[in-house]
Amino acid sequence: MLTDLMKRELLAEIDRTETRQAACIEALQIVQRHLGWISNETLREIADFLNMTPDELEGVATFYNHIHRKPVGRHVILVCDSVVCWIEGVEEILEHIRATLHIEPGETTSDGLFTLLPVQCLGACDNAPALMIDEELFTNLTPARFDEIVAAYRDGKS
Amino acid sequence: MAVIYIDNKPYEVKEGQSLLNACLSLGFSVPYFCWHPELHSVGACRQCAVKQFRNESDTRGFIIMSCMTPVEDGLCISIDDPEARQFRASIIEMLMLNHPHDCPVCDEGGECHLQDMTVMTGHVRRRTRFPKRTYRNQDLGPFLNHEMNRCIQCYRCLRFYRDYAGGRDFNVFGIHQRLYFGRYEDGKLESEFSGNLVEVCPTGVFTDKTFMKHFTRKWDLQTAPSICVHCSVGCNTIVGERYGTVRRILNRFNREVNGYFLCDRGRFGYEFVNSELRIRRPLVRDARTAEAQPANKAAALKRVAQILRKTPGLIGIGSPRASLESNYALRKLVGPDRFFAGVSGAEQRLITAILDSMRKPSVLSPSLQEVERADAVLLLGEDVPNTAPRLALALRQSVRVRPMTLADQLCVPRWMDHAVRLVVHDARGPLYIATPYRTRLDSLATKTLRGAPDDIARLGFAVAHELSTDSPAVAGLSEEAQSLAHEIAQALQGASCPLVMSGTGCGSMAVVQAADAVARSLRKTGRPAMLSFIVPECNSLGLGILGGGSLEDAVERILKGDAHNLIILQSNLFRRLDRETVEEVFEKIEHVVVLDHVANRCVERADVVLPSATFAESDGTFVNNEGRGQRFFQVMVPQGDVQASWRWIRDIADALDKGELAPWTSLDDLIADMAASVQRLKEVVRIAPAADFRMTGMRIARESHRYSGRTAVTAYVSVHEPKPPQDDDSPLAFSMEGFQGHVPPAVIPRFWSPGWNSIQAVNKFQSEVGGPLAGGDPGIRLIEPMENVEKGQEGAIVPEPFRPRTDACLLVPLFHVFGSEELSMLSPAIAEAAPEPYVGLSPEDADRLGLRDGNTVAVRWDETELTLPAKIMDDLPGGLAGLPHGLPGLSGFVLPRWGKIRAK
């Protein structure tokens, strides 16, 4: 359900664009920020709100990897798997994540806390390997450093 | 003109076109996928790569995409260059990473553009050993099958469906190697042009679901050129047959009419030909109440002769869905004064007015192609997407004509499709729509007006008066309507090719006269006005030319006791007149002979029923809404005693010893007779080559070189190969023996060319790619404006404004592309797509009557009462109610008329 707050934010975005449809990318992001992901029902509602068909909006939603069309955990871990991070040992990090969180890329931990997704370059090649949790960037990763970061989130860091 | 060098040889070509277009027009085989002659270039697939050289001393050159390169004088390219060849082969190899190797069991196999292009580039060996990506397919409804694994991501489907045809329930999902072309969720594709994806898709992602149920390879189909019978546009089609049943309909390119596309009613409506309800043997009833008995041909004709001899006073009722030839034959048999057009008086008056209008000087009835080029359009009263869908698709293109000049200003070639769409964006040329209810073109309209037919006519007259004060003023017009009229007049006057479109859909003479008035007034301002009318059926205008009284006139003759015997040609009177009247006719008349394809209520009541051939089993001529006479050809020999209606009529004449009335042994005899006796039809002989036409001494083969099983098809009956059936009526042969090459455009049975097995082979049949067929587009315009015709409609009367009544609603017809047309509704796929009957109510009237959506209501007038669920239509003006035209139980009355509505 789109709440009044979401609708107000959407309208503010629509105000800045020439047509309602043009606000669709922002709209998906806004709603995802509130709900964590975009369900089929939510997608229909946003489409209606923007005078689009669900087919039109789904084309946009599925084009962008970071619009989640399936439920994700409370925190999304984006691990860079592009070439510099690979040279700098991202595979070791990934192996460590698999061993400690028991999830593969694309999966969510059973406690619903973390979802692991691969990403193409976070723009932090100089400090590779890198990952991002929600909107925070972490660089020069080692398995130990990863454990510290994750512990902080487990302790309630949001 | 420019001179370009292709592999060191000079060629003279038109400047400004795309290089791919030029190469294909010159006959070179450059492979392509995303390019389509009507959808133009986007440069997405990289398949049409060729090498360009900077100058004569440049030996290395560089790869370019020919579809994205404009032709310039001195352009130097190589198609044969090894590097370019390798590039093209590697593109195919890349597409083949994921494309299934299922050609032998794929529905597209043998007529697949991807197969053709693969062979053309020479890619033969798969090097990759990784798994292919796979998809879940969607159920897209009764028309199309979906097989996404075959997709090569050329985007043509989306560019046709969304960009060209305006469909909004189809899209591409995902990104890079995981693209998905489909709907948000399973369900019927909403656009009435979805069937074109079958031809637009270069592989087998979208295939014809009705065809799959009785699948036959292209080379095993017997094919013939035909004309669609499901509306008045007269799209050219190719009918495919095998084992005595029609298997599918494909588009037959005609630049002036349908171009590359058909509507779904035309493509999937054919299955009535194979219907269980078909009449294959004559039926004879000894008494009206007796059970009909099958009879052989001779017995049936004997019975007819007996009936017709016993009592004099024979009259004939013709049909707007029968050919000119069959109607003419009946008219000849019964005499012109005893021949009646099989339509209501109301419809006939409209058709007559339209024919008069078309003959009046200076205003041209445009071809569909000309409609596409109109740069300002006024649409009066006609729900075009439902009554003439292909014309609606043309109007959709017309709104792009005006903004296209933006692209010209930026020097973006018009064929550079993506760039042009970015420039044009949402800009649209003027399109004004005045109809009783919302149409699917409204989203493109500059402005719309919702009103009763009389109010629509008043707007038309107001526009006419704005343009020329010779046209009468409209008294008591609201300020709003006045300013709209002014705006429309300005738009039409400011256009270089303005078009007024209207039709019989409203059932209103005032609307037709108003459309005529606008076009005439426009002409007086010095504009080259075009005026297009849509009529109800495939040969409404042809029948109109032949004349004859209306159905009501026929009924009057019968009830007066002046006519005792009746021949009904391909018409179900119960659809055209109210039931009581038809019952009265059957009470009064002594004998009825019916000629028709399928069982209907008239057939059930007839004394003798003669099985007449459908469009697929006979030859003949239809006159479309433009006034273009077009010939359709028989694709198969019908089963049983089925024969063309005109042959039955000739046989009746013979049985009556009146053979001199019908001295025809072949269609050409009949056409010559008709052309000689009906002045307005004298050109009909020129429409297509006569039956004695030969190509290098040979007939034209309906079957391909590779037609299989010729000797085996009937081997269960006889091991001897049967003699191919004779065809006295056309230059085509029911055989694979005969001429297979290029033939005159009117008799092209299929598009097929060496190396080009798919429908794209049409390139090879055109004078230039995308242009007219080599030899000229088929069809002859039979109705042209005549300078010496007296202008009759100057005295048209402006109607009074519509006044809603509190005790009744004005019932207007609502049209449905799937459901409103009689024959296509006998095809299961079309019937599945048709809505359930309902009555449409305006919110005001629903409120007044205390009705909600889905409530059961009674609609009443005279002796008729219909019980229907109510559907609240927020677009319907108060005082109007709508009845869906032609749906089961909703025919047999003439609208508009007043009816009382109450809750039940």
Side-chain angles (χ1 to χ4, degrees), chain B residues 307-328:
Chain B
I307 288 170
L308 298 184
R309 277 225 187 82
K310 205 160 75 183
T311 33
L314 173 65
I315 62 167
I317 292 179
S319 169
R321 65 169 160 86
S323 67
L324 269 182
E325 290 80 358
S326 292
N327 277 302
Y328 174 76

Side-chain angles (χ1 to χ4, degrees), chain B residues 526-547:
Chain B
R527 292 282 143 197
M530 300 191 288
L531 175 59
S532 174
F533 286 109
I534 290 155
V535 293
E537 287 172 73
C538 59
N539 201 23
S540 290
L541 286 191
L543 183 62
I545 293 172
L546 284 173

Side-chain angles (χ1 to χ4, degrees), chain A residues 8-157:
Chain A
R8 272 201 303 279
E9 289 181 37
L10 294 186
L11 285 172
E13 207 50 57
I14 287 166
D15 271 348
R16 290 160 10 102
T17 55
E18 208 172 301
T19 63
R20 279 180 97 87
Q21 288 93 319
C24 65
I25 301 172
E26 298 299 329
L28 288 164
Q29 286 181 318
I30 289 167
V31 176
Q32 179 162 298
R33 210 149 45 226
H34 286 279
L35 300 176
W37 67 296
I38 306 290
S39 68
N40 289 347
E41 190 196 348
T42 312
L43 185 114
R44 275 187 184 279
E45 271 188 80
I46 304 171
D48 273 355
F49 197 78
L50 300 176
N51 295 340
M52 294 171 82
T53 63
D55 311 73
E56 289 165 346
L57 188 59
E58 177 77 323
V60 176
T62 56
F63 183 84
Y64 294 104
N65 287 348
H66 294 189
I67 298 297
H68 304 311
R69 289 287 283 111
K70 286 183 181 161
V72 290
R74 189 182 315 158
H75 304 293
V76 177
I77 307 175
L78 300 170
V79 180
C80 173
D81 64 356
S82 62
V83 64
V84 179
C85 284
W86 176 69
I87 294 168
E88 294 292 319
V90 74
E91 288 193 320
E92 187 196 351
I93 305 291
L94 270 173
E95 200 44 57
H96 181 72
I97 296 175
R98 281 196 187 97
T100 53
L101 298 184
H102 310 294
I103 48 173
E104 294 289 324
E107 290 178 355
T108 302
T109 52
S110 54
D111 58 3
L113 212 48
F114 298 106
T115 295
L116 177 64
L117 294 174
V119 69
Q120 288 272 322
C121 196
L122 291 163
C125 304
D126 51 338
N127 292 307
L131 64 72
M132 193 179 225
I133 300 185
D134 299 338
E135 290 181 357
E136 196 172 343
L137 181 70
F138 301 94
T139 54
N140 297 315
L141 285 175
T142 59
R145 169 119 173 84
F146 178 79
D147 288 343
E148 277 169 37
I149 297 163
V150 164
Y153 278 91
R154 279 204 201 283
D155 288 345
K157 179 177 176 184

Side-chain angles (χ1 to χ4, degrees), chain B residues 484-654:
Chain B
L484 179 59
H486 179 74
E487 184 184 326
I488 297 171
Q490 293 288 311
L492 293 175
Q493 226 173 336
S496 53
C497 287
L499 165 71
V500 182
M501 189 180 276
S502 186
T504 54
C506 268
S508 161
M509 181 62 90
V511 168
V512 167
Q513 288 176 337
D516 179 77
V518 177
R520 308 273 147 217
S521 298
L522 194 54
R523 192 70 190 87
K524 282 180 192 148
T525 68
R527 292 282 143 197
M530 300 191 288
L531 175 59
S532 174
F533 286 109
I534 290 155
V535 293
E537 287 172 73
C538 59
N539 201 23
S540 290
L541 286 191
L543 183 62
I545 293 172
L546 284 173
S550 69
L551 274 179
E552 284 89 339
D553 298 337
V555 170
E556 198 192 317
R557 289 281 274 273
I558 293 164
L559 298 185
K560 239 171 41 190
D562 183 26
H564 306 288
N565 295 315
L566 170 62
I567 297 178
I568 303 173
L569 170 67
Q570 290 172 226
S571 187
N572 179 3
L573 300 190
F574 285 96
R575 268 186 82 95
R576 301 180 188 272
L577 282 177
D578 59 278
R579 191 171 56 84
E580 290 75 22
T581 310
V582 186
E583 291 290 352
E584 230 179 318
V585 164
F586 276 97
E587 288 293 312
K588 179 82 183 174
I589 198 95
E590 289 185 29
H591 297 289
V592 179
V593 176
V594 169
L595 293 86
D596 215 337
H597 320 309
V598 281
N600 58 42
R601 285 166 73 191
C602 256
V603 166
E604 284 161 21
R605 304 290 298 272
D607 295 272
V608 180
V609 181
L610 301 173
S612 67
T614 61
F615 71 95
E617 299 145 342
S618 59
D619 314 68
T621 309
F622 292 140
V623 183
N624 79 351
N625 79 310
E626 176 201 348
R628 178 181 294 263
Q630 303 190 101
R631 186 75 36 81
F632 59 95
F633 290 95
Q634 185 176 3
V635 65
M636 63 186 184
V637 179
Q639 299 165 18
D641 292 321
V642 177
Q643 63 177 356
S645 295
W646 67 264
R647 279 217 155 81
W648 281 117
I649 293 163
R650 180 202 61 187
D651 292 348
I652 293 171
D654 281 345

